[in-house]
């Protein structure tokens, strides 16, 4: 999230950005955080906006998306959300509350916020998973009632307008 991206936003949107920043800065092991809408669009990100890559990437470099790591995390969060929702439906498991993927070099957590919106966290492999999940639940509890259609639209617009 870019400091300049808070200019002109409503109090609710600024509060959500503050909660997101607090999650990254206060929870040990958290690398980055993204909030994704039900249709897979990035609403909030802890990562600064990355400029578009050069037209011809250098040999061996991986091209980044329009928002770099934040777009990658948003894509992963959206995909995991969709996959686990489908799996839960096939298994008559009800709604998905949380998904966690532990990898050799990190972890990804996905938690439902409200009306299909998702909170995604990329953390270090040595993070305390219960602490990360606890703080994610706090964020969800605080953000769920604030993430109204109007605020989602405002956040989406601010992400699109960020240079």
């Amino acid at each position: 999230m870019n400091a300049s991206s808070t200019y002109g936003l409503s109090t609710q949107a600024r509060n959500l950005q503050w909660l997101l920043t607090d999650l990254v800065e206060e929870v040990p092991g958290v690398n980055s955080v993204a909030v994704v809408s039900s249709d897979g669009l990035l609403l909030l990100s802890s990562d600064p906006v990355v400029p578009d890559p050069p037209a011809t990437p250098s040999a061996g470099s991986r091209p980044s998306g329009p928002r770099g790591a934040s777009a990658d995390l948003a894509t992963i969060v959206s995909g995991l959300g969709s996959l686990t929702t489908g799996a839960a439906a096939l298994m008559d498991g009800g709604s998905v509350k949380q998904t966690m993927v532990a990898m050799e070099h990190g972890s990804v957590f996905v938690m439902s916020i409200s009306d299909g919106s998702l909170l995604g966290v990329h953390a270090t492999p040595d993070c305390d998973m219960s602490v990360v999940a606890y703080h994610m639940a706090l964020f969800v509890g605080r953000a769920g009632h604030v993430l109204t259609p109007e605020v989602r639209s405002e956040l989406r617009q601010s992400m699109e307008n960020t240079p």
Side-chain angles (χ1 to χ4, degrees):
M1 165 182 38
N2 217 330
S4 64
S5 66
T6 62
Y7 179 75
L9 293 179
S10 67
T11 301
Q12 295 89 350
R14 286 194 314 272
N15 285 343
L16 286 172
Q17 288 183 326
W18 178 84
L19 285 171
L20 190 96
T21 300
D22 192 53
L23 180 63
V24 174
E25 292 176 356
E26 300 299 321
V27 182
V30 171
N31 290 327
S32 59
V33 181
V35 175
V36 181
S37 67
S38 60
D39 52 358
L41 296 176
L42 182 63
L43 298 177
L44 284 171
S45 173
S46 63
D47 294 336
V49 174
V50 177
D52 290 334
T56 55
S58 60
S61 71
R62 183 176 150 281
S64 62
R67 302 257 185 256
S70 58
D72 290 345
L73 182 58
T75 301
I76 292 164
V77 168
S78 181
L80 283 172
S82 180
L83 179 66
T84 55
T85 298
L90 285 171
M91 297 177 188
D92 293 326
S95 63
V96 177
K97 303 295 182 196
Q98 180 177 325
T99 303
M100 198 270 309
V101 178
M103 302 168 285
E104 184 178 353
H105 299 291
S107 298
V108 175
F109 301 82
V110 179
M111 193 173 284
S112 299
I113 298 176
S114 62
D115 66 1
S117 296
L118 300 168
L119 170 65
V121 171
H122 173 235
T124 61
D126 61 343
C127 73
D128 185 331
M129 292 180 191
S130 61
V131 170
V132 173
Y134 172 76
H135 283 277
M136 288 177 72
L138 287 177
F139 180 95
V140 167
R142 294 173 180 152
H145 68 282
V146 177
L147 203 53
T148 62
E150 294 80 17
V151 172
R152 283 194 310 274
S153 177
E154 179 182 1
L155 291 169
R156 188 176 303 143
Q157 187 79 27
S158 77
M159 290 301 288
E160 291 172 359
N161 292 336
T162 304

